Structure formats: C-alpha cells, structure tokens
Amino acid sequence: MNKTVADLIEERFGLPSRVGHDKPAEGTMAQLLSHRTHRRYKPDPVPDDVLEIALAAALSAPSKSDLQQVAIVLVKDRGKQATIGGFIPDMPWIATAPVFMVFCGDNRRMRRVAELRGRPFPNDTLDMFMNAAVDAGLVLQAFITAAAALGLGCCPISVVRNHVEKLAELLELPPAVFPVAGLCVGYPAQTGWSSMRLPPALTVHTDRYDDRDLPAQLEAYDRRREARHATPRDKQRYVDRYGYTEPYGWSEDKARQYSVPERHNFGPFVRRHGFGLA
Ligand SMILES: Cc1cc2nc3c(=O)[nH]c(=O)nc-3n(C[C@H](O)[C@H](O)[C@H](O)COP(=O)(O)O)c2cc1C
C-alpha cells in the first residue's frame, strides 16, 4: 500500500500512530498533515487568476458573528515590498517572494457600519480586538491551505509587527486596522520538511486541563525533534549570553527566544491605533 494517514501522523509527531493505517494518504487530510512552510520560491510569477481563486477560498473561512473582520493588503508595488523586506533583512524571502500580502484584523469596517446605520458602537473591547485577530488568522490559514491545493507554498510573517508603525504608515492602515501577519507566496523551489509538533499528550486534554507530565514529555519531544533535525550549533540563540547547550532542543530554543523582550511596541501601537481594549 502507498502512504497512509498513519504514516503522515507518525511523520508529524515522530510517534507511532494508533489510527489511520487503513486510510490512504490523500485529499484534505493528507494535505493538512503534510503542511509545511515554504521560504524558497521559484521565480515564476503567480497568475492573477490563481491568486484570485486562493483569495476567494480564503475568504470562505468562518467568521465570528459573520462580522468578517479581515482586510488583506496585496503588496503589488515591488518598491513597497522591498521596503518591508528591508525592515527585516534576515528574512530575505520577504523581499523576493513572487507575492507578498498582509493579513489584517479590521474593526474599522464595523465601526463605519454602525456609523452609516446611525447606531451606537459601545464595544471598543479587548474581545472585539480578539475577534478581528482570530478572523484574520482563520482567513490566513484558509489561504495557506487553498494555496497548497493550487501548488503554491507560503510563509506567514509575524515579524512585520516588529515594525508595525512603519508598516501601518507604508500601507496606510487606518485606526482600528492592524496587521496580524504578512504572507510570502510562490511556487516552492524545494519540497520542504515536516516540522515535528508537540505530542497530543501535551496539547489535547480530556475533561480538564492537566500538564503534570510536561517536563518528561518535553524532554522526550526535544530528543525526538533533535534526532530528526538537529539544530546546528550556529543556530543556537544568544550564545553570548547562554553559551552552547548540548543537547539543544525545542524547549531550550524557545526559552532562549523569549528570554529577551520581544515586540513590546505592539501593545502600545494597538492602543494608539484606535483600540481601547476595555
Ligand atoms: C502567525 C505566524 C507567524 C509566523 N511568522 C513567521 C516569520 O515572521 N518568519 C518566518 O520565517 N516564519 C514565520 N512563521 C512560520 C513558522 O515559523 C512555522 O509555521 C513554524 O516553524 C512551524 O513550521 P511549519 O509551518 O513548516 O509546520 C509564522 C507562522 C505563523 C502561523
């Protein structure tokens, strides 16, 4: 038999799968299980029609209360794309991607709808902000899935939020419209690799939240992950501060990543940019 769903589950988690041995790896299930982020693209342009289909599929994502609080900015101006790429030189795929776009949460539209209908809008809340962020995230994921079905590869870019002031000015994002992530899109130049996920034992809970087994599960995950894709020594973070750790692992990498303040500019930006977050 060709590849099964069980094979793909085992690849995803690096663990034996109890399920899926009788199911061929095909269709939506295979596509979701085979997801990978692509950062290298062929130079081939993405035809407008293909992009339009992917956008239509993406905009079919569910939306909180049918509010549809998403705005997508297609960055067609290569100069603007280069400017955004210039903010983040260590991610050259931003400037070189055949297509670059920015997925935004959009609460402005609802505020305008209220105004146009002559109704009050006493809902400048954190919940409203989150609704818009979640809607944008769902559309982003739907776009990635649709793009994969069309032979395209994508890389979301949250690092654009490190430069949110400059980005908002460049793309003329008005108050109550905020970037959730950029997205690079193109025909993949490589097949890419399946990034191993935390075990469902840590991410799926039954009837109540329970993380008593975190230390042991993490240790095992770190070792499984390193056995498949060892982090090269030169990719260890902040060695000036922490030196080299052997073995390194996901938990050490993430602990190091967030041992320094990251993106403290974003909260103040959001508050200045039209959100009360009550
Ligand atoms: C919201 C979001 C933001 C991301 N931001 C970046 C980014 O700024 N730069 C980047 O290279 N990858 C970014 N990624 C890609 C992640 O690094 C990637 O999804 C993760 O390592 C898991 O790999 P996989 O998607 O291939 O399974 C982002 C992914 C998401 C979902």
Side-chain angles (χ1 to χ4, degrees):
M1 192 170 170
N2 290 333
K3 262 198 170 179
T4 63
V5 163
D7 292 327
L8 295 180
I9 294 175
E10 290 180 359
E11 203 174 323
R12 177 59 72 198
F13 297 101
L15 290 168
S17 175
R18 203 176 55 76
V19 294
H21 292 276
D22 54 348
K23 294 194 168 30
E26 59 191 26
T28 307
M29 205 52 63
Q31 203 198 315
L32 289 172
L33 284 164
S34 310
H35 157 78
R36 49 209 64 187
T37 286
H38 291 278
R39 297 184 177 85
R40 293 186 208 291
Y41 313 101
K42 294 178 184 159
D44 316 20
V46 178
D48 283 345
D49 290 9
V50 172
L51 193 57
E52 215 171 300
I53 292 170
L55 284 167
L59 291 165
S60 305
S63 158
K64 155 74 177 86
S65 286
D66 205 10
L67 293 179
Q68 309 178 48
Q69 295 192 91
V70 67
I72 303 166
V73 182
L74 299 175
V75 182
K76 289 204 161 182
D77 178 334
R78 298 299 286 192
K80 284 193 180 186
Q81 185 178 349
T83 302
I84 297 167
F87 299 157
I88 309 155
D90 58 336
M91 294 187 182
W93 42 95
I94 298 171
T96 55
V99 172
F100 186 74
M101 54 181 94
V102 180
F103 286 72
C104 302
D106 184 348
N107 189 228
R108 169 183 162 87
R109 196 181 302 118
M110 267 319 299
R111 297 177 189 200
R112 292 201 64 203
V113 167
E115 203 177 289
L116 289 167
R117 302 300 307 176
R119 303 291 179 219
F121 186 78
N123 281 299
D124 186 4
T125 58
L126 174 61
D127 189 67
M128 229 9 175
F129 173 81
M130 200 167 119
N131 290 337
V134 169
D135 268 14
L138 291 172
V139 171
L140 172 71
Q141 172 58 51
F143 185 95
I144 293 168
T145 305
L150 293 164
L152 292 162
C154 300
C155 180
I157 304 290
S158 61
V159 177
V160 291
R161 297 202 301 263
N162 294 15
H163 308 273
V164 66
E165 296 279 4
K166 289 183 283 182
L167 185 77
E169 193 184 327
L170 187 72
L171 302 182
E172 300 178 35
L173 304 183
V177 178
F178 60 97
V180 169
L183 192 72
C184 303
V185 186
Y187 291 100
Q190 301 167 343
T191 48
W193 53 282
S194 178
S195 172
M196 196 185 288
R197 292 292 189 263
L198 287 165
L202 285 182
T203 45
V204 182
H205 303 255
T206 303
D207 295 330
R208 65 189 179 87
Y209 187 93
D210 177 3
D211 67 352
R212 276 173 297 184
D213 211 18
L214 178 67
Q217 288 284 357
L218 262 190
E219 176 66 24
Y221 174 63
D222 282 345
R223 298 295 83 83
R224 276 197 303 279
R225 214 177 136 122
E226 286 292 293
R228 188 184 293 170
H229 284 294
T231 309
R233 248 171 106 79
D234 65 331
K235 287 280 188 312
Q236 293 198 10
R237 293 180 204 251
Y238 305 126
V239 284
D240 47 335
R241 222 178 263 220
Y242 304 116
Y244 291 101
T245 301
E246 298 297 345
Y248 197 73
W250 178 88
S251 63
E252 176 65 17
D253 187 61
K254 295 305 147 200
R256 286 187 183 207
Q257 180 177 356
Y258 282 94
S259 68
V260 298
E262 188 178 293
R263 216 170 282 157
H264 281 232
N265 59 324
F266 190 65
F269 165 81
V270 166
R271 288 184 191 88
R272 277 196 307 276
H273 203 63
F275 285 98
L277 308 182

